[in-house]
Amino acid sequence: MAGGSREKTRAAIVVACFVAAISGAILLRRLRKRSRSRSRSPKIGGGSIEEKPQEKFKRVLADNSYSPFKHLKRDDKGSPTELHPYEEEITYLLQNPSVLPDFVSDNGNVPLDMSGSYTWVDTEPQLKSLAGILSGEKVFAVDTEQHSFRSFLGFTALMQISTVKEDFLIDTIALHDVMDILRPVFADPSICKVFHGADNDVIWLQRDFHIYVVNMFDTAKACEILSKPQKSLAYLLEVYCGVITDKTLQREDWRIRPLSMEMIKYARCDAHYLLYIANCLSSELHSKNTSETSSFSGDKLNFFFEASRRSNAVCMQLYAKETEPSPGTSAATSIFSRTFNQKLDLAKVSELKEIIWKLCAWRDLMARIHDESLRYVLSDQSISALAVKLPKVPQQIYGTMTESPSPIVVSHIDELHNLLKNSNLSIDDLFDNILEMRLDPVGCCPLSAYNYALLSQLSSKRGDMFNFSLSGSEKVAQTGSKRASRELFIKKFSCKSPVYHNCRIYASDGRLLCYCDRKKLEWYLQRDLAKMVENDPPAIVLLFEPKGRPDDEDNDFYIQSKRNICVSCGEEKHYIRYRIIPSCYRMHFPEHLKSHRSHDIVLLCVDCHEKAHKAAERYKRKVAEEFGVPLFVQKIVDSGEEKVIASIGLTNNKNSNGGGKGVSPLHLRTAAMALLRHGSSMPSERRDQLMETVKAYYGGREVSEKDLESALLVGMNPNERRRFGKKKGLPLTSDYKSTTLIKNGFPSNIGNGENHSDNGHNNISYSDNHDNNDSSEACEVGVLESDRRLSLLGHGPHGKLVVEQLLEKYGDEGILQFCQKWREIFVEALQPQFLPGGWNIKHSGKRDFGDYSVYNPTKKV
Ligand code: AMP
Ligand code: MN
Ligand code: ZN
């Protein structure tokens, strides 16, 4: 691109800035148009580029996320991914000097002219037939061209393959998703692949297609061994073939289709003569062997082998994404040192460094999101100019830049502006802002196979995006007894089979549409209706606008299923359902607000479950205080008269059984059960202790055996009483039924739609149980599984009163706010990283109910 035209554009912008003083909006629009129409890549010979052809790729191996590249896993080998998948094969070639590529003897005379036709390969059947042809060859020559300006990592835009008979030009853009058809011939150790300077090609083929080269002869390596004055292909072409090439074509935009005649000729040239040149060089290597080794006695130095060994060493390289401690740091360091070598005072230096780093971080993220090269987004020169001038308005930003602003700069000018203006803005805030933009339905950042993983990482990030939370298995080892208790808990309560399927389907803007099985994914992929954005677990993005698309309300959550992992830390091995809104409140919600429970029931691993539970219990106590409704009800029976005395429920604490505090139903029932069963045989000290607990419930008066029996039922709803009665074989005397607690507003739970039998595994924690073991025998006897479930409902009366207050004061809105608060508590406690898409603190739970829906509030029961 001519620098002059850039200068002109820049001048135009500077002029435009004055105009913009009158109307900034007009300028913005103009700039936007300009950057759209302006060609930032050359077009040659009438060829044209469809806007960003990589957007059509359906499978992308190297995405723009910060996660490391995943290499091919061969099913036949249990090899770990850090190893080269063909390590064994290549090692063999490196160690076996006897292996000499057959072409040395076979293809003595390679035709030198390029007058014959070439084959343009751009369909799958053509590629398959090419694979067939190549599998019958002993040697073929390869070169690739890649495009890197309008892509973050770059992609292979063309592959040239020449056999002795034919030149093939493979459209690796059109065939991007099926290039693995060539994987076997490239990996076949019996077929020699001739390259010139293969270092990049080898890695690009891995990055784009998981193609690994095994058995290679690199003519550049041969030049090295032969100590040629030059080792460029241009030199070899001229010396051996008498062909003069214009290597400037190397930098053409190889995405253009159709390719110009000139580019086709150039591309063919790069592979066509390689077999001939390789032949010449190998003969030289062999003759060097005989001439020079004659002076050696004993071990022969095999020059040909050395060239072949060095070539195959190149094959052993593995592609890896570049990494840096945090985004933009390496670019920032180099920009700073290149630009500011003069002496500056320390304060100025750190200020400059800071802003350059922020600009580089911003550029890095923008380039990844939009799949553009760094230099396309914003040049190094512009970054230093901006850092020095710190322009304060968008128009000045454009004026300060050394190139005409890219569409990315234009469409994100507000962010850039904010970044330059606001020196306190941290990188984290910046990324958060960008993410919000992205999540905004009219946000302009695209979702593609390239940035899908990046955006989902950003979405789940809170705090430090570059230190992702440890997965469950990486957690610190726990101490013996706690671990044993944990294991037991997992065994007992974790879900026995996957709760959800885990293939995901996304809409083109990144909204999660639904979860489904693998079959459904394949169905879309095979019909070209979707592209793969993630492999494990698989996810696709639809290429069409789905009909039943969730709108932007909260409802979309309901058409989804969820992943079978802890929504907090990602643990996959075990998980338990967790209710974000505690049942003691939820069970008292009006029916129409109760219908959305799947949103507020998530899977958590045992550790996260415990954390969440503790936070919830803490918050419950706060609710109790704020509403003036104790967690537990202390009943005082006074000559048949009863009144409820409020006491803040700290009583699930093991130390607060007696005194004036309330008693938790769990402790009460446990104590009563122990006294009924073993009262006569237990040490008197223990008996007195347990008696204190029961007495506390009865207001300190002496308790009878009947009181003990009544105490067994405290905190249960009628259903549970019935079940409990059956199980224990206890009679249901009229006394139990008419317990004053019922009159005092204990909930009737029949028909409220909550299934309490699956409630039990919820908001209990293994260490609660563990910690409470202090009451030894009594506790162990008393805490039967059913009791444990029932203990949950001990907060039932509290929940009921709280919900009643909410409804009375604020109506439905009060309940919704209350739910939001619980979600906040949950998020605050866990900082969950894997919440399903569509999960939302603000989830309103409002939904249109069908006329016949059981949830329809107007429906008469
Ligand atoms: P070659 O190995 O000459 O076929 O080059 C392969 C690819 O490397 C080209 O398509 C370019 O994308 C890239 N490339 C090689 N040399 C340069 C260069 N000097 N400047 C820019 N890109 C280059
Ligand atoms: Mn080339
Ligand atoms: Zn977890």
Side-chain angles (χ1 to χ4, degrees), residues 482 485-486 489 493 576 578 606-615 617 760-772 788 791-792:
K482 184 144 190 216
S485 159
R486 177 178 183 271
F489 190 87
F493 293 120
I576 313 160
Y578 176 80
V606 159
D607 306 278
C608 297
H609 196 284
E610 188 189 7
K611 242 200 225 167
H613 173 70
K614 280 196 171 145
E617 287 303 302
H761 295 172
N762 190 30
N763 296 353
I764 43 171
S765 119
Y766 71 92
S767 68
D768 259 13
N769 183 25
H770 186 71
D771 292 345
N772 288 342
R788 202 200 293 258
S791 72
L792 242 188

Side-chain angles (χ1 to χ4, degrees), residues 557-571:
F557 186 83
Y558 294 99
I559 60 158
Q560 304 170 13
S561 181
K562 287 151 253 171
R563 289 169 74 181
N564 290 293
I565 57 170
C566 168
V567 298
S568 174
C569 72
E571 168 70 63

Side-chain angles (χ1 to χ4, degrees), residues 652-665:
N652 54 349
N653 183 315
K654 57 192 172 190
N655 299 321
S656 51
N657 286 357
K661 304 262 174 149
V663 180
S664 95

Side-chain angles (χ1 to χ4, degrees), residues 229-243:
Q230 281 184 47
K231 58 171 194 174
S232 71
L233 182 61
Y235 166 81
L236 294 174
L237 283 171
E238 198 177 332
V239 171
Y240 290 94
C241 313
V243 173

Side-chain angles (χ1 to χ4, degrees), residues 679 681-690:
S681 59
M682 66 173 63
S684 61
E685 224 174 87
R686 180 73 186 137
R687 190 171 48 233
D688 293 348
Q689 206 183 336
L690 294 173

